[in-house]
């Protein structure tokens, strides 16, 4: 009876020890995986605060024949342009500011369509100016007097709500995220990290290089970043660079803003006219400004690109493909523009929502709530407002260290980090001690039983 009880005790002890080993192993793996970056996930879209989208939602619901766009006023409140007093009253009842205008969105779109059908003139661009209820046609310094005269005639035939403007500099793509990526075609900036569920990619500008372009993180071409697997340019301006390793690694949810600092990306959205935004690039670093127009068309020397976001944020060669964002929300990737960061200028961005839809990819974002620790993030200047946020309070997003374009730590490195796996290792160590102890006790009991039997047999 006593021997049976001992056997039961030994078996229970061994089972407990084996269970401890399995539990400790699970704890180690869990801790190691949890320590990988700051916790990221992939989402197709993540809208901004609901109050910031009220204007856009109202304009969409009321229709293009009764409205003419929406924007953010100087007080941070959404404004909707409407074509009659009845619609204005409906907008006001919804708690949104209404402005009665003469021309509907349908008329603005018709004007833009007429301009697109005219002979193409490189160095020109046009955008819908919602706040002034006009379509603005711009011509840079490369447009000849005769070409500009012809464009003016086309605009005049459309109506007085088409405004002609000459601009300084030239409209060019900004080839030459903000981390630099280099190929034989020039230097660009990495945009945002995206995934299709099997592989990770850099979403950057399409004009940076054709499909098959190899990209490196150094001038010597020894640190390959990846290869362009899909290019969309002209027409649109975005492309996918597939990571050579297949994964974006640690910090995939962070965009660089210079000096080893970064901003966590927490979602994806579309900007509003009047919204304050931030852009980062490998040439000029972090810059801020305001969205001045949507659905812009630009006639670059290489071809025409439509559906762009127009801003007064400056950019320079090499900034192409870099990210535009606000409050941690990814908005666009740098396409091109005019001017520089000394005299200022106009910069156009490819909306990320349209690019992601066309490419069937999802943004890699931080699980951290949008806006957390926003006060720690750098804020270049208090200028325009971000949707319903008070003027000057907008920030790029929550701050984070920027590690550059490198693969993340291996699972083995994380497993051997005592900070991550200490509790699990203690459980494993205790279980091993228990197994060794039960084995030793059994061996000692067997030895004593043999001695008793030997003495009984031989006296």
């Amino acid at each position: 009876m006593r021997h049976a009880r001992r056997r039961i005790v030994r078996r229970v002890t061994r089972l407990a020890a084996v269970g401890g080993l399995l539990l400790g192993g699970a704890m180690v793996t869990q801790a190691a995986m949890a320590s990988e970056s700051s916790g990221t996930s992939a989402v197709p879209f993540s809208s901004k605060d609901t109050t910031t989208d009220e204007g856009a939602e109202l304009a969409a619901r009321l229709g293009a024949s009764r409205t003419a766009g929406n924007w953010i006023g100087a007080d941070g409140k959404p404004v909707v342009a409407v074509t009659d007093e009845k619609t204005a009253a409906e907008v006001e009842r919804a708690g949104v500011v209404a402005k009665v205008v003469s021309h509907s969105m349908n008329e603005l779109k018709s004007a833009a369509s007429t301009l697109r059908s005219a002979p193409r003139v490189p160095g020109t661009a046009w955008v819908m100016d919602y706040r002034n209820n006009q379509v603005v046609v711009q011509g840079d310094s490369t447009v000849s007097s005769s070409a500009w005269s012809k464009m003016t005639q086309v605009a005049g035939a459309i109506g007085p709500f088409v405004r002609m403007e000459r601009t300084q500099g030239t409209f060019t793509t900004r080839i030459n995220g903000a981390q630099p990526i280099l190929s034989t075609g020039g230097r660009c900036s990495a945009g945002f990290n995206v995934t299709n569920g099997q592989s990770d990619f850099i979403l950057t500008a399409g004009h940076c290089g054709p499909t098959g372009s190899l990209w490196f993180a150094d001038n010597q071409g020894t640190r390959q970043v990846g290869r362009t697997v899909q290019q969309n340019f002209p027409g649109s301006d975005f492309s996918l660079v597939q990571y050579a390793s297949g994964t974006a690694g640690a910090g995939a949810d962070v965009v660089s803003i210079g000096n080893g600092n970064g901003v966590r990306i927490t979602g994806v959205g579309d900007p509003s006219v009047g919204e304050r935004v931030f852009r980062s690039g490998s040439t000029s670093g972090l810059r801020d400004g305001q969205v001045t127009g949507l659905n812009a068309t630009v006639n670059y020397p290489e071809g025409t690109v439509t559906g762009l976001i127009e801003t007064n944020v400056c950019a320079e060669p090499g900034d192409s493909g870099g990210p535009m964002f606000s409050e941690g929300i990814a908005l666009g990737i740098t396409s091109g523009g005019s001017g520089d960061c000394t005299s200022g200028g106009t910069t156009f961005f490819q909306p990320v929502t349209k690019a992601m839809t066309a490419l069937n990819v999802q943004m890699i974002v931080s699980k951290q709530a949008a806006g957390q620790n926003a006060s720690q993030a750098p804020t270049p200047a208090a200028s325009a407002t971000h949707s319903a946020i008070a003027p000057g309070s907008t920030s790029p997003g929550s701050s984070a260290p920027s590690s550059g374009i490198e693969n993340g730590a291996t699972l083995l490195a994380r497993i051997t980090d005592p900070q991550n796996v200490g509790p699990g290792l203690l459980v494993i160590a205790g279980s091993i001690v228990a197994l060794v102890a039960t084995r030793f006790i059994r061996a000692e009991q067997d030895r004593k039983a043999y001695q008793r039997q030997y003495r009984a047999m031989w006296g």
Side-chain angles (χ1 to χ4, degrees):
M1 191 70 173
R2 186 173 58 185
H3 294 302
R5 284 199 299 269
R6 287 176 177 172
R7 284 196 298 271
I8 292 173
V9 172
R10 286 199 300 267
R11 287 174 184 172
V12 170
T13 304
R14 283 198 298 272
L15 288 173
V18 172
L21 284 173
L22 294 175
L23 176 61
M27 290 172 67
V28 167
T29 304
Q30 179 77 12
M33 296 305 292
S35 67
E36 184 175 1
S37 78
S38 61
T40 60
S41 60
V43 296
F45 303 106
S46 178
S47 62
K48 297 172 283 187
D49 191 321
T50 54
T51 59
T52 70
D53 296 325
E54 286 180 345
E57 291 172 359
L58 268 174
R61 179 166 59 82
L62 294 171
S65 63
R66 302 170 62 191
T67 65
N70 62 281
W71 62 92
I72 305 303
D75 57 358
K77 295 180 180 179
V79 182
V80 176
V82 297
T83 56
D84 58 81
E85 295 293 344
K86 182 180 178 181
T87 306
E90 190 172 346
V91 170
E92 295 285 356
R93 282 195 297 271
V96 175
V97 179
K99 179 181 179 181
V100 179
V101 297
S102 301
H103 306 283
S104 68
M105 178 60 74
N106 284 338
E107 292 177 273
L108 299 181
K109 287 182 176 179
S110 177
S113 178
T114 301
L115 291 167
R116 279 196 299 272
S117 63
R120 177 177 176 273
V121 179
T124 59
W126 51 85
V127 66
M128 296 180 190
D129 181 356
Y130 297 155
R131 285 176 284 198
N132 293 309
N133 196 226
Q134 295 176 325
V135 175
V136 181
V137 180
Q138 304 171 29
D140 69 18
S141 59
T142 66
V143 180
S144 66
S145 298
S146 60
W148 187 244
S149 177
K150 291 178 181 177
M151 287 289 292
T152 302
Q153 291 176 7
V154 172
I158 297 173
F161 62 96
V162 179
R163 187 173 84 242
M164 304 295 287
E165 285 185 356
R166 277 285 199 173
T167 64
Q168 299 295 320
T170 59
F171 290 129
T172 60
T173 54
R174 293 313 200 184
I175 188 167
N176 221 27
Q179 295 282 8
I181 50 177
L182 304 100
S183 74
T184 55
R187 175 168 64 88
C188 274
S189 299
F192 299 100
N193 285 312
V194 296
T195 183
N196 63 5
Q198 285 80 43
S199 297
D200 295 346
F201 308 84
I202 298 172
L203 178 62
T204 190
H207 69 262
C208 285
T211 299
S213 299
L214 292 178
W215 293 95
F216 300 88
D218 63 324
N219 289 313
Q220 293 72 36
T222 58
R223 295 167 53 205
Q224 183 176 338
V225 175
R227 178 192 299 268
T228 300
V229 294
Q230 187 169 343
Q231 180 208 32
N232 294 71
F233 179 81
S236 299
D237 194 1
F238 56 84
S239 64
L240 278 182
V241 175
Q242 184 173 17
Y243 278 101
S245 63
T247 178
D253 59 326
V254 177
V255 294
S256 172
I257 57 174
N259 299 320
N261 298 315
V263 168
R264 293 195 187 283
I265 298 302
T266 57
V268 182
D270 289 311
S272 299
V273 173
E275 179 176 345
R276 185 188 181 199
V277 293
F278 299 82
R279 175 204 58 75
S280 186
S282 61
T283 299
S284 57
L286 182 67
R287 304 284 175 164
D288 72 319
Q290 190 180 38
V291 175
T292 53
L294 301 174
N295 297 314
T297 296
V298 185
N299 292 303
Y300 294 125
E302 302 91 337
T304 300
V305 180
T306 62
L308 298 176
I309 303 164
E310 183 193 61
T311 74
N312 58 15
V313 185
C314 71
E316 298 184 355
D319 289 330
S320 273
M324 180 180 75
F325 46 91
S326 186
E327 297 292 338
I329 301 298
L331 301 172
I333 46 181
T334 307
S335 174
S338 63
D340 54 38
C341 289
T342 299
S343 59
T346 299
T347 302
F348 299 95
F349 296 85
Q350 166 70 50
V352 293
T353 53
K354 294 179 181 178
M356 289 168 58
T357 298
L359 296 169
N360 194 28
V361 294
Q362 298 177 325
M363 184 73 64
I364 299 177
V365 301
S366 172
K367 291 181 180 178
Q368 177 180 345
Q372 277 189 335
N373 300 326
S375 61
Q376 299 175 8
T379 305
S383 54
T385 60
H386 167 69
S387 301
I389 300 174
S393 66
T394 311
S395 71
S398 61
S399 59
S402 173
S403 58
I405 305 175
E406 297 288 349
N407 291 331
T410 64
L411 180 61
L412 178 61
R414 294 192 297 273
I415 287 177
T416 55
D417 185 352
Q419 280 190 320
N420 295 330
V421 298
L425 290 176
L426 286 175
V427 172
I428 292 174
S431 301
I432 292 174
V433 169
L435 281 175
V436 172
T438 55
R439 185 68 180 174
F440 175 82
I441 292 171
R442 181 178 180 181
E444 185 66 16
Q445 289 174 341
D446 289 342
R447 185 180 65 82
K448 290 181 178 180
Y450 176 79
Q451 288 177 341
R452 286 195 298 271
Q453 183 181 7
Y454 185 87
R455 285 195 299 268
M457 291 176 61
W458 299 97

